Amino acid sequence: MTAVASARLDLQFTEVHSPIDGRAGRALVTPGNLAQADQTLLTTVISQDPMYVYFETDEQTYLRYAELARKGERDGTRNPVRVGLANENGYPHEGTVDFVDNQLDANTGTIRARAVIPNADHALTPGLFARVQLQGSGRFTAMLVDDK
Protein backbone atom coordinates (compact mmCIF):
# COMPACT_ATOMS: atom_id res chain seq x y z
CA MET A 1 0.00 0.00 0.00
CA THR A 2 1.39 3.39 -0.94
CA ALA A 3 1.69 6.26 1.51
CA VAL A 4 -1.09 8.16 -0.29
CA ALA A 5 -3.47 5.20 -0.11
CA SER A 6 -2.64 4.72 3.56
CA ALA A 7 -3.28 8.41 4.24
CA ARG A 8 -6.68 8.22 2.48
CA LEU A 9 -7.61 5.17 4.54
CA ASP A 10 -6.58 6.94 7.76
CA LEU A 11 -8.66 9.98 6.73
CA GLN A 12 -11.74 7.78 6.26
CA PHE A 13 -11.51 6.74 9.91
CA THR A 14 -11.77 10.39 11.02
CA GLU A 15 -15.31 10.75 9.68
CA VAL A 16 -18.25 10.15 12.00
CA HIS A 17 -21.66 9.15 10.60
CA SER A 18 -24.87 8.80 12.61
CA PRO A 19 -26.85 5.60 12.03
CA ILE A 20 -30.10 7.60 12.32
CA ASP A 21 -31.46 10.86 10.93
CA GLY A 22 -32.31 13.41 13.57
CA ARG A 23 -31.21 16.45 15.53
CA ALA A 24 -27.75 16.60 17.12
CA GLY A 25 -27.23 17.90 20.65
CA ARG A 26 -24.32 20.00 21.83
CA ALA A 27 -20.78 18.98 20.90
CA LEU A 28 -19.19 17.21 23.87
CA VAL A 29 -15.76 17.10 22.18
CA THR A 30 -14.31 19.98 20.21
CA PRO A 31 -11.63 19.93 17.47
CA GLY A 32 -8.20 19.32 18.92
CA ASN A 33 -9.36 17.11 21.78
CA LEU A 34 -8.42 13.44 21.90
CA ALA A 35 -11.25 11.03 21.09
CA GLN A 36 -10.99 7.26 21.35
CA ALA A 37 -13.13 4.99 19.18
CA ASP A 38 -16.12 3.45 21.02
CA GLN A 39 -15.16 5.25 24.26
CA THR A 40 -15.62 8.98 23.70
CA LEU A 41 -19.14 10.40 23.42
CA LEU A 42 -19.08 13.16 20.78
CA THR A 43 -22.74 14.23 20.90
CA THR A 44 -26.22 12.76 21.09
CA VAL A 45 -28.60 12.41 18.15
CA ILE A 46 -32.36 12.15 18.60
CA SER A 47 -34.84 10.84 16.07
CA GLN A 48 -37.67 13.32 15.46
CA ASP A 49 -39.89 11.55 12.94
CA PRO A 50 -41.25 9.13 13.91
CA MET A 51 -41.33 9.71 17.67
CA TYR A 52 -41.40 6.86 20.17
CA VAL A 53 -43.59 7.15 23.28
CA TYR A 54 -42.85 4.66 26.06
CA PHE A 55 -45.50 4.01 28.68
CA GLU A 56 -46.31 1.51 31.41
CA THR A 57 -49.63 -0.06 32.23
CA ASP A 58 -50.69 -2.00 35.30
CA GLU A 59 -51.15 -5.77 35.42
CA GLN A 60 -54.97 -5.67 35.57
CA THR A 61 -55.21 -3.48 32.46
CA TYR A 62 -52.70 -5.68 30.62
CA LEU A 63 -54.72 -8.81 31.47
CA ARG A 64 -57.98 -7.12 30.36
CA TYR A 65 -56.48 -6.12 26.98
CA ALA A 66 -54.97 -9.59 26.49
CA GLU A 67 -58.38 -11.18 27.16
CA LEU A 68 -60.07 -8.87 24.63
CA ALA A 69 -57.44 -9.81 22.06
CA ARG A 70 -57.97 -13.55 22.69
CA LYS A 71 -61.73 -13.09 22.19
CA GLY A 72 -61.10 -11.26 18.91
CA GLU A 73 -62.59 -8.03 20.24
CA ARG A 74 -59.44 -6.00 19.59
CA ASP A 75 -57.56 -5.32 16.38
CA GLY A 76 -54.42 -7.20 17.41
CA THR A 77 -52.39 -6.05 14.41
CA ARG A 78 -52.80 -2.29 14.69
CA ASN A 79 -53.37 -1.34 18.37
CA PRO A 80 -54.13 2.36 17.82
CA VAL A 81 -53.14 4.94 20.44
CA ARG A 82 -53.75 8.64 20.89
CA VAL A 83 -51.27 10.93 22.63
CA GLY A 84 -51.65 14.35 24.23
CA LEU A 85 -49.00 16.69 25.64
CA ALA A 86 -49.30 18.61 28.92
CA ASN A 87 -50.43 21.81 27.18
CA GLU A 88 -52.94 20.15 24.84
CA ASN A 89 -56.60 19.34 25.31
CA GLY A 90 -57.55 15.80 24.37
CA TYR A 91 -55.30 13.48 22.41
CA PRO A 92 -54.49 15.09 19.03
CA HIS A 93 -51.55 12.84 18.03
CA GLU A 94 -52.33 9.36 16.69
CA GLY A 95 -50.09 6.35 16.29
CA THR A 96 -49.83 2.62 16.94
CA VAL A 97 -48.28 0.33 19.53
CA ASP A 98 -45.33 -1.51 18.01
CA PHE A 99 -43.81 -3.12 21.10
CA VAL A 100 -44.95 -4.68 24.38
CA ASP A 101 -42.30 -6.01 26.75
CA ASN A 102 -42.06 -9.76 27.34
CA GLN A 103 -42.58 -9.62 31.11
CA LEU A 104 -44.07 -7.53 33.89
CA ASP A 105 -41.82 -5.66 36.30
CA ALA A 106 -42.37 -7.51 39.58
CA ASN A 107 -41.34 -4.44 41.61
CA THR A 108 -43.97 -2.13 40.13
CA GLY A 109 -46.59 -4.56 38.75
CA THR A 110 -46.44 -2.85 35.35
CA ILE A 111 -45.47 -3.75 31.81
CA ARG A 112 -43.76 -1.40 29.35
CA ALA A 113 -45.05 -0.69 25.85
CA ARG A 114 -44.01 1.64 23.03
CA ALA A 115 -46.10 3.63 20.58
CA VAL A 116 -44.86 5.05 17.27
CA ILE A 117 -46.22 8.53 16.48
CA PRO A 118 -45.65 10.33 13.16
CA ASN A 119 -44.02 13.69 13.94
CA ALA A 120 -43.50 15.47 10.61
CA ASP A 121 -44.23 18.88 12.19
CA HIS A 122 -41.78 18.18 15.07
CA ALA A 123 -44.43 19.08 17.67
CA LEU A 124 -43.18 16.26 19.89
CA THR A 125 -39.75 16.49 21.55
CA PRO A 126 -37.99 13.67 23.42
CA GLY A 127 -38.36 13.88 27.19
CA LEU A 128 -41.76 15.61 27.22
CA PHE A 129 -44.51 14.24 29.43
CA ALA A 130 -47.29 12.67 27.38
CA ARG A 131 -50.70 11.19 28.14
CA VAL A 132 -51.48 7.98 26.25
CA GLN A 133 -54.93 6.63 25.46
CA LEU A 134 -55.11 3.06 24.13
CA GLN A 135 -58.24 1.83 22.36
CA GLY A 136 -60.11 -0.46 24.75
CA SER A 137 -62.21 -2.65 22.51
CA GLY A 138 -63.61 -3.00 19.04
CA ARG A 139 -66.67 -1.14 17.80
CA PHE A 140 -70.07 -2.36 18.88
CA THR A 141 -73.66 -1.31 18.31
CA ALA A 142 -75.46 0.21 21.28
CA MET A 143 -78.42 2.44 22.04
CA LEU A 144 -78.15 5.21 24.62
CA VAL A 145 -81.26 5.96 26.66
CA ASP A 146 -81.66 9.29 28.44
CA ASP A 147 -82.10 9.01 32.24
CA LYS A 148 -85.33 11.07 32.05
Side-chain angles (χ1 to χ4, degrees):
M1 179 180 290
T2 68
V4 173
S6 177
R8 283 189 185 130
L9 182 61
D10 288 344
L11 186 59
Q12 286 179 339
F13 290 120
T14 65
E15 296 177 4
V16 178
H17 298 275
S18 174
I20 64 169
D21 290 334
R23 193 173 84 199
R26 70 180 178 94
L28 301 175
V29 176
T30 57
N33 290 338
L34 177 63
Q36 295 180 353
D38 299 326
Q39 293 184 10
T40 306
L41 182 63
L42 304 177
T43 189
T44 57
V45 179
I46 58 166
S47 171
Q48 291 186 290
D49 187 23
M51 187 62 64
Y52 298 105
V53 178
Y54 289 89
F55 59 98
E56 278 91 22
T57 188
D58 63 279
E59 183 176 357
Q60 292 296 324
T61 302
Y62 170 74
L63 291 171
R64 187 172 66 245
Y65 279 84
E67 180 67 21
L68 288 170
R70 276 193 298 280
K71 290 179 178 177
E73 296 178 19
R74 283 186 47 82
D75 181 1
T77 59
R78 191 164 174 273
N79 290 322
V81 296
R82 298 186 319 160
V83 174
L85 300 178
N87 68 335
E88 295 174 330
N89 292 324
Y91 300 86
H93 310 281
E94 295 185 2
T96 57
V97 173
D98 76 331
F99 166 79
V100 177
D101 210 346
N102 61 357
Q103 63 182 2
L104 270 79
D105 182 339
N107 295 321
T108 63
T110 60
I111 191 164
R112 177 167 278 202
R114 180 177 77 180
V116 180
I117 311 293
N119 191 34
D121 61 355
H122 297 168
L124 303 173
T125 300
L128 292 177
F129 174 80
R131 294 170 286 115
V132 177
Q133 186 179 61
L134 184 62
Q135 178 178 312
S137 65
R139 295 182 184 261
F140 58 91
T141 304
M143 181 181 354
L144 298 176
V145 178
D146 191 357
D147 286 341
K148 297 176 188 173

